[in-house]
Amino acid sequence: MAVKKRMKDFTLMEKIYLPSIVAGLGITLQNMFKPKYTMEYPEVKFMPSGHYRGRPVLVQEEDGGERCVACGLCSRVCPALAIDIQAAETEKEKERYPERFEINMLRCIFCGLCEEVCPEEAIVMSKEYEIAFTNRQDAIYGKDKLLTPIADLQERIEFLRGNK
Amino acid sequence: MESLIIAGIALVKVLILANIILLTVSYLVYFERKISAWAQSRVGPNRVGYAGLLQPFADVFKLLLKEDIVPDQANKPIHTLAPFLALFVAFTTYAVIPWGPDVTIFGRVIELSVVPNINAGILYVLALTSIGVYAITLSGWSSGSKYSLLGGVRASAQMISYEISMGFSVAGVLIFSQSLLPSEIVKSQSGLMWNAFLQPIGFITFVTAAFAETNRLPFDLPEAEPELVGGFHTEYSSMKFAAFFLAEYANMMIASALIVTLYLGGWQVPYLEKLGLSAGWEAIIQVAAFFTKLVFLMFFFIWVRWSIPRFRYDQLMDIGWKVMFPLALLNVIWAAVLAMLIK
Amino acid sequence: MGKFILDGQEIGFKPGQTIIEAAKEVGVEIPHFCWHPSLSVSGNCRVCLVEVEKMPKLAIACATQASEGMVVHTESTRALSARQAVMEFLLINHPLDCPICDEAGECKLQDYTFSHSVGESRFTEEKQHKEKRVPLGPHVMFDGDRCISCSRCIRFCDEIAGESELTFVNRGDRVTIQTFPGKELKNPYSLCVTDICPVGALTNRDFRFKARVWDMSNTASVCPGCARGCNIDVWVRSNEILRLTPRQNDEVNSYWMCDEGRLNTWKHVNAGDRVDCPHIRRDEGLSKATWDEIYSKASAELHSFSSGEIAFIGSATSTVEDNHLLSKLASHLHCKNIDFPRHIVPGSGDKILRREDKTPNAAGALAAGISPVKDGLGFEEIMVAIKSHKIKALVVVEEDIAAMDEKYVSALKQLQLLVVLASNFNATTELAHIVIPAATWTEKNGVFINFEGRAQRIRPAVATEQMDRSLDGFSMSRLDKFGTKFDRWGNYKKYDARPAWRIFLDLGHLLGLKAKFELAEDVWEDFTKHSPGFHGITYDDLGETGLTVKKELHKV
């Protein structure tokens, strides 16, 4: 086996090794008395800023209706096929609305492509990250769970507009 | 009647010591996790009981309730024997460690050591720790897994290598105390005549060897999680795993106790006699001193683990044979010269 | 046959051909909105502008006849900039409402914007607004904003449907489409305008907002609405038919199909009255049964009648395969009474596509031997014989006889055994003793033979319980490919129905018929062996557009 020459030979102090060990011990000892960074989750909650991609939700206009026109682009772009939409006709000017809008949270990967592709700014990523269910049926979020008043989503919408 | 009383006293001492060891060991695990967390700016276990103080019990219950898995390819009797051998060795070594001076209770002189007067006390310790390697080697071999086998082989090579420098370091101490009795060794370090100060090289080689013998980082190659998936105990679960776990920490405790006894003056507090306290108070302070030193050393073991990375195997052998061994030899000569000069 | 140069490549043309036609024949598509191969040239969209050397200005490829030695550039700088300018003009007033437009995904304007436009608009003013959501007729919805005034729909009504119903009104950028006063867009072919509309201005009211086109699979099949056998695509999502569209076949239907066939031939497939499992009549009426039960009961009962007491009614709406096995079973039982009812509606045909015979496979049924054997009884005679108790057992395939005429109802009530193969519950199943669920034309493989003797394949588009979309070679959408039963769109309804030929095969086995077929293709092969004129013709020979086999078959 060829012997490789070191880039740099160790000095005597380095060869003794003990001083480095002591220095290392000193660093860990210092750390033991420094403030801790752990966030103790159920009691203390993480408050994300506008950039955070929590579960996707539908924007609910002030009149209570959804902004979505059921164009299906989010469903098309979704890499995990999490979104299922059934469009229907409405008397409103927008003509079209989602009769059924379902996101399968077991499939969702929180990539935010649905939000990016949406031409109406109707689906955005919320700050909500506490998503738990105990069976497959509960994992399918319908309009009842998805519709979120626009006032609650203002921060995210402004973030998106600022980062176009 | 007399022999019955002696036996009774011995039994009480065993019970007290065994409980102290078990409790200490379980809380060592807790503090290992706490200290590692602190060193990494984390909080550590804090969910079970106040500040997580009941965590050790939760761990034990969890291990008890786990399924005991014996691999198909394992040599079953040996596979079962190994963890309990490890545990046995770890616990019996305590017998000869003196944890305080002789005390007189109800007119009877009681030595604070389970088996006080073995002439070959230190040899007994060395002999038992050597048996400890069997536990690991056997467990590695009998598991029928390549990871375990590699861990076992590494363990035996490492422990045999470091036992030599350990033995020579101890020789330096023995030259000074001129006795194999642990209590005599302690007594020979009165005042500040601690062997740690007299033979600093021997102290360092002994402490290093102690780390190696207990398989603690930076010498935990037999376990080496990243490469050996846990090494010799890969194939152990439930109580057998717990036995290895207990033995590891019990070994850490015995290593600390040995360091205290051999190098840090045992239960002695320098110049305590000058205060002129009553014999009873003196004994209590001395026992407390022993355990304080012990606790500090155990903290040191944990502290080192979370500060220093693991050695590579060739480095481990290099240090063992090319550094530690000559240094230990040097220390013997040094001790001999020093002993001639002083005495 | 002359030659001219298109983009540096010499291509041939027939005298009178335009540049766009000659280019299309060699596979070069010159962009076009208003031009359609089957319609007259109007030349108003201007997107097909090409550069012809020695011509002072750019020429529209759809109206410029190719001539000897002509040098045409479709990708020259001038041609490209003209095309981009045209696209920009077209998009000035076209709304950006693709998200709500049904045409999105199959929109020519969308495609060309992507491939032939600069991708930016310099128009910052208010767009021209026109009427939206205008029902032009019972089936077609009009959106004025989206219209690019190509006039295809107007020309279709004038030239193909032969009923002038649509026209332009107004001028300039306010031009829009309207029906003539007092008229509606309701010619029998009105929905074809939604197919040829290059944008989403004209949409199918029946399909409006049902699904996005990219979510559906399309299966090449044949319309069962009349004896023409128009080639169609069946569009399916989540195992549910959502629309039919015509598929080009110049030998049969060109680019068109009638509204009747487009809207009314498939609604029963998704309907709630499907026969979802075998039924047997017990004391309290029809009740559910297993396949084994009905097979053994039907075979045992058929066995108890003499061959003269049994009659079989085939169907011209079933495939050749179904009828072939029915006739095989009848001859195995030495039964001579076999026929099928005709569904001729006088006056319902026209010179375009529609035929008076409302069944797709009358010629096929005859070819498969569904006609009385010597001394046997025909359909009307069978019904009379039932009344006079000569015929005691009847097997009916996919025909609702009871609904055809009042007098048949009383006849059917006389029967001791009535076995009905039906896809949906109807008046005849009300009287049946055994109801066997039969797969519809969208759920099986098979062949229809139209009035011209053209054999054309139908393919399964909807899976029944015994079929799997991926394993049985269905056309699959993305959703089909990646869906699981835990997804709402993957967990769809499948009916427990079987093709009629398989039912007769299984029944025949219990009655001692020796035949072994795995696939409809095997049955077809057996049919071709026994039918003169069909020898050696395989499914592959029929392909997507079919094969005209026997001209003389059309005496139905």
Side-chain angles (χ1 to χ4, degrees):
Chain A
M1 205 174 80
V3 178
K4 272 192 190 160
K5 179 100 179 71
R6 283 182 188 278
M7 300 277 282
K8 174 174 89 81
D9 280 327
F10 283 161
T11 62
L12 182 68
M13 281 298 276
E14 281 165 345
K15 276 183 186 162
I16 291 176
Y17 199 69
L18 284 176
S20 316
I21 288 183
V22 174
L25 288 172
I27 287 170
T28 43
L29 191 66
Q30 276 173 29
N31 265 311
M32 286 181 206
F33 301 102
K34 281 188 181 161
K36 312 301 174 209
Y37 293 103
T38 310
M39 185 176 276
E40 293 185 60
Y41 162 63
E43 294 88 26
V44 185
K45 291 211 168 131
F46 171 50
M47 294 299 289
S49 66
H51 82 285
Y52 187 79
R53 294 203 301 254
R55 76 174 173 92
V57 296
L58 285 178
V59 174
Q60 187 175 31
E61 301 275 25
E62 269 100 10
D63 66 1
E66 61 283 273
R67 188 180 266 186
C68 175
V69 296
C71 70
L73 287 188
C74 49
S75 162
R76 179 68 185 85
V77 80
C78 181
L81 282 87
I83 305 178
D84 182 30
I85 303 171
Q86 178 58 57
E89 188 157 4
T90 164
E91 288 310 310
K92 288 187 193 164
E93 197 197 344
K94 67 178 185 180
E95 287 189 55
R96 199 177 155 115
Y97 83 106
E99 188 179 48
R100 184 181 74 233
F101 195 113
E102 289 176 345
I103 301 184
N104 187 340
M105 293 311 293
L106 280 171
R107 279 183 174 267
C108 179
I109 57 169
F110 304 93
C111 62
L113 286 182
C114 49
E115 173 188 59
E116 199 174 318
V117 80
C118 183
E120 303 288 330
E121 216 168 56
I123 185 168
V124 297
M125 306 303 275
S126 68
K127 289 183 181 182
E128 201 178 314
Y129 53 84
E130 287 172 316
I131 304 154
F133 26 78
T134 49
N135 63 60
R136 284 196 166 103
Q137 282 313 305
D138 292 353
I140 297 174
Y141 282 25
K143 272 194 346 185
D144 54 328
K145 282 186 182 157
L146 293 175
L147 280 175
T148 310
I150 188 166
D152 300 351
L153 302 166
Q154 218 52 50
E155 196 182 340
R156 179 67 182 176
I157 290 171
E158 272 154 31
F159 170 83
L160 291 174
R161 287 178 183 165
N163 289 279
K164 272 267 158 69
Chain B
M1 187 65 200
E2 178 64 19
S3 56
L4 262 182
I5 290 171
I6 292 173
I9 290 171
L11 195 65
V12 171
K13 285 195 283 196
V14 166
L15 283 176
I16 292 172
L17 198 63
N19 277 306
I20 289 175
I21 295 169
L22 277 174
L23 209 63
T24 315
V25 162
S26 50
Y27 275 94
L28 265 181
V29 180
Y30 168 74
F31 277 107
E32 174 109 67
R33 293 173 63 179
K34 270 289 188 196
I35 290 167
S36 77
W38 293 336
Q40 295 164 355
S41 296
R42 291 187 285 113
V43 176
N46 67 345
R47 294 279 144 180
V48 192
Y50 174 74
L53 277 170
L54 294 178
Q55 187 69 43
F57 298 98
D59 290 349
V60 168
F61 280 125
K62 184 202 79 173
L63 282 169
L64 274 172
L65 294 172
K66 287 225 158 191
E67 187 191 353
D68 184 24
I69 297 163
V70 180
D72 226 22
Q73 297 295 311
N75 184 326
K76 286 174 188 75
I78 297 179
H79 185 264
T80 313
L81 175 71
F84 298 102
L85 186 61
L87 206 58
F88 168 79
V89 169
F91 274 54
T92 44
T93 319
Y94 284 94
V96 296
I97 306 288
W99 29 281
D102 298 351
V103 291
T104 315
I105 298 170
F106 304 124
R108 183 177 282 277
V109 176
I110 296 171
E111 300 90 346
L112 291 185
S113 169
V114 178
V115 193
N117 295 318
I118 301 179
N119 278 338
I122 292 302
L123 290 183
Y124 168 82
V125 171
L126 287 179
L128 273 180
T129 45
S130 309
I131 293 176
V133 73
Y134 278 95
I136 291 178
T137 314
L138 287 179
S139 66
W141 172 78
S142 66
S143 289
S145 150
K146 54 190 158 217
Y147 295 120
S148 304
L149 184 63
L150 281 172
V153 170
R154 277 183 179 189
S156 47
Q158 171 183 332
M159 290 175 95
I160 290 164
S161 308
Y162 278 81
E163 222 152 60
I164 292 165
S165 47
M166 191 182 209
F168 277 108
S169 308
V170 173
V173 174
L174 297 183
I175 289 170
F176 246 72
S177 62
Q178 311 213 327
S179 167
L180 283 166
L181 264 178
S183 51
E184 286 301 313
I185 294 172
V186 171
K187 277 174 194 157
S188 75
Q189 303 177 65
S190 58
L192 274 175
M193 295 280 278
W194 288 3
N195 285 326
F197 303 135
L198 297 175
Q199 314 173 20
I201 296 176
F203 177 59
I204 290 169
T205 50
F206 186 85
V207 169
T208 314
F211 273 93
E213 291 290 302
T214 50
N215 297 327
R216 294 283 301 183
L217 258 160
F219 301 105
D220 72 336
L221 281 98
E223 293 178 33
E225 289 91 345
E227 30 189 303
L228 293 183
V229 214
F232 63 89
H233 62 55
T234 306
E235 304 295 346
Y236 282 91
S237 57
S238 185
M239 264 328 271
K240 290 180 194 157
F241 174 76
F244 272 123
F245 213 65
L246 277 178
E248 184 189 330
Y249 285 92
N251 275 330
M252 194 170 116
M253 196 173 161
I254 188 87
S256 304
L258 268 179
I259 294 169
V260 172
T261 308
L262 295 177
Y263 287 95
L264 298 178
W267 39 263
Q268 299 220 47
V269 181
Y271 310 118
L272 183 68
E273 62 279 7
K274 300 236 163 108
L275 292 174
L277 295 168
S278 70
W281 277 113
E282 221 168 68
I284 288 169
I285 289 173
Q286 282 168 330
V287 171
F290 176 81
F291 282 106
T292 309
K293 291 173 188 175
L294 189 67
V295 164
F296 174 76
L297 272 169
M298 291 190 298
F299 169 72
F300 182 70
F301 265 85
I302 295 171
W303 182 16
V304 166
R305 173 169 177 188
W306 297 103
S307 302
I308 302 170
R310 180 182 303 129
F311 283 109
R312 218 166 54 209
Y313 193 69
D314 60 323
Q315 290 172 333
L316 174 93
M317 284 296 153
D318 260 12
I319 293 170
W321 290 99
K322 294 184 188 167
V323 181
M324 298 281 290
F325 182 41
L327 280 178
L329 274 179
L330 197 68
N331 181 61
V332 174
I333 299 164
W334 165 256
V337 172
L338 206 64
M340 281 174 71
L341 286 178
I342 291 176
K343 304 218 161 141
Chain C
M1 187 91 176
K3 285 191 189 310
F4 73 102
I5 295 172
L6 181 78
D7 288 337
Q9 189 195 347
E10 196 178 60
I11 63 169
F13 67 94
K14 295 184 200 88
Q17 252 184 339
T18 56
I19 298 173
I20 205 169
E21 284 166 347
K24 184 171 182 259
E25 274 183 16
V26 295
V28 176
E29 196 201 68
I30 296 171
H32 56 273
F33 287 119
C34 67
W35 180 75
H36 189 281
S38 284
L39 300 176
S40 66
V41 174
S42 82
N44 59 8
C45 77
R46 316 307 290 181
V47 83
C48 64
L49 280 172
V50 292
E51 188 178 352
V52 181
E53 281 182 16
K54 292 175 187 158
M55 276 198 183
K57 300 207 301 187
L58 299 179
I60 46 172
C62 66
T64 310
Q65 288 199 354
S67 58
E68 190 64 41
M70 197 182 227
V71 182
V72 180
H73 300 284
T74 65
E75 302 291 326
S76 70
T77 320
R78 280 180 73 202
L80 277 181
S81 70
R83 197 180 298 155
Q84 283 167 1
V86 168
M87 285 306 298
E88 197 173 345
F89 275 123
L90 285 175
L91 290 170
I92 277 181
N93 280 320
H94 191 86
L96 197 60
D97 66 349
C98 306
I100 57 167
C101 178
D102 264 342
E103 190 83 357
E106 50 184 12
C107 172
K108 247 187 153 63
L109 187 66
Q110 226 177 20
D111 294 349
Y112 285 175
T113 303
F114 190 68
S115 53
H116 299 295
S117 167
V118 286
E120 265 177 43
S121 174
R122 288 174 283 177
F123 187 78
T124 52
E125 294 80 1
E126 180 78 9
K127 291 188 184 218
Q128 194 55 255
H129 292 295
K130 294 171 195 165
E131 274 191 303
K132 293 176 86 76
R133 264 203 270 196
V134 188
L136 290 183
H139 306 312
V140 179
M141 190 71 94
F142 175 64
D143 185 309
D145 279 356
R146 294 178 192 150
C147 178
I148 58 166
S149 309
C150 71
S151 79
R152 271 184 176 189
C153 48
I154 297 172
R155 281 176 285 147
F156 173 82
C157 291
D158 292 350
E159 297 163 16
I160 306 292
E163 288 179 43
S164 298
E165 289 163 338
L166 295 176
T167 184
F168 279 134
V169 292
N170 297 338
R171 286 270 162 164
D173 61 359
R174 264 163 286 177
V175 69
T176 188
I177 304 267
Q178 271 183 11
T179 50
F180 284 110
K183 276 203 171 181
E184 268 190 306
L185 178 61
K186 58 176 185 186
N187 68 62
Y189 299 90
S190 67
L191 274 169
C192 290
V193 300
T194 65
D195 298 328
I196 56 170
C197 183
V199 291
L202 297 167
T203 48
N204 182 342
R205 290 177 74 181
D206 182 61
F207 176 66
R208 197 167 158 82
F209 300 159
K210 285 259 183 71
R212 309 259 48 173
V213 290
W214 55 78
D215 281 344
M216 297 182 286
S217 63
N218 57 314
T219 308
S221 193
V222 173
C223 174
C226 75
R228 173 74 59 178
C230 294
N231 286 210
I232 53 160
D233 273 318
V234 183
W235 296 79
V236 170
R237 188 191 63 177
S238 290
N239 213 33
E240 191 180 339
I241 304 176
L242 296 176
R243 68 168 180 180
L244 307 183
T245 54
R247 182 162 53 88
Q248 188 199 348
N249 185 343
D250 292 334
E251 304 289 316
V252 182
N253 58 319
S254 185
Y255 297 87
W256 325 114
M257 74 185 292
C258 68
D259 293 354
E260 176 70 19
R262 191 194 296 251
L263 297 174
N264 298 334
T265 52
W266 51 274
K267 298 279 167 73
H268 67 284
V269 178
N270 302 335
D273 63 353
R274 280 294 296 268
V275 183
D276 199 11
C277 72
H279 285 72
I280 283 185
R281 184 164 302 280
R282 298 197 173 96
D283 299 336
E284 67 276 20
L286 282 178
S287 61
K288 291 180 178 178
T290 65
W291 286 91
D292 286 343
E293 254 178 273
I294 53 129
Y295 279 152
S296 57
K297 184 164 168 71
S299 61
E301 298 228 352
L302 279 176
H303 210 71
S304 64
F305 296 103
S306 73
S307 59
E309 292 171 333
I310 308 176
F312 289 94
I313 307 276
S315 170
T317 57
S318 304
T319 62
V320 170
E321 288 81 352
D322 297 338
N323 285 315
H324 176 63
L325 269 185
L326 178 70
S327 79
K328 234 178 152 61
L329 184 68
S331 63
H332 174 72
L333 294 174
H334 307 294
C335 174
K336 294 171 180 169
N337 313 318
I338 177 165
D339 200 1
F340 66 96
R342 304 330 194 238
H343 294 271
I344 314 275
V345 182
S348 68
D350 59 28
K351 285 183 181 149
I352 307 167
L353 294 174
R354 295 184 302 155
R355 301 287 303 175
E356 288 181 345
D357 180 3
K358 293 297 164 202
T359 60
N361 194 35
L366 284 175
I370 307 296
S371 57
V373 187
K374 194 158 66 75
D375 308 332
L377 305 175
F379 176 67
E380 291 295 339
E381 295 161 316
I382 290 172
M383 299 315 286
V384 173
I386 292 171
K387 266 219 147 128
S388 57
H389 299 284
K390 269 192 216 145
I391 301 264
K392 292 171 182 158
L394 183 67
V395 177
V396 180
V397 185
E398 298 176 48
E399 288 284 358
D400 190 3
I401 297 172
M404 287 165 67
D405 201 323
E406 258 318 294
K407 67 183 185 212
Y408 296 155
V409 180
S410 55
L412 292 176
K413 281 179 181 164
Q414 310 289 322
L415 285 165
Q416 289 178 24
L417 175 67
L418 175 57
V419 178
V420 177
L421 275 70
S423 60
N424 297 62
F425 286 108
N426 55 33
T428 312
T429 59
E430 286 298 301
L431 306 169
H433 300 106
I434 298 175
V435 180
I436 308 181
T440 62
W441 64 278
T442 59
E443 292 161 332
K444 61 187 173 191
N445 273 300
V447 174
F448 284 158
I449 300 175
N450 80 352
F451 73 102
E452 292 174 315
R454 188 178 186 85
Q456 305 185 105
R457 276 196 59 194
I458 59 166
R459 293 175 182 79
V462 175
T464 58
E465 208 162 82
Q466 285 194 316
M467 292 196 280
D468 180 281
R469 292 195 75 89
S470 67
L471 297 178
D472 289 306
F474 280 56
S475 145
M476 305 236 288
S477 67
R478 186 178 70 133
L479 297 179
D480 293 331
K481 278 178 194 152
F482 303 110
T484 67
K485 65 182 167 126
F486 303 114
D487 298 302
R488 194 140 300 171
W489 35 267
N491 184 16
Y492 39 69
K493 175 74 187 158
K494 280 178 169 181
Y495 294 101
D496 188 10
R498 296 179 187 179
W501 66 262
R502 187 173 292 283
I503 294 168
F504 293 130
L505 185 68
D506 293 342
L507 207 53
H509 285 159
L510 292 179
L511 291 163
L513 177 72
K514 299 255 186 306
K516 194 164 178 282
F517 305 116
E518 290 294 330
L519 305 166
E521 202 169 351
D522 303 336
V523 183
W524 171 256
E525 198 191 330
D526 189 61
F527 164 76
T528 56
K529 273 183 201 154
H530 296 92
S531 308
F534 288 93
H535 282 302
I537 294 174
T538 66
Y539 269 15
D540 286 345
D541 295 334
L542 300 181
E544 297 258 304
T545 51
L547 204 64
T548 303
V549 183
K550 274 173 107 178
K551 283 280 183 198
E552 66 270 26
L553 270 173
H554 56 84
K555 39 187 192 307
V556 175

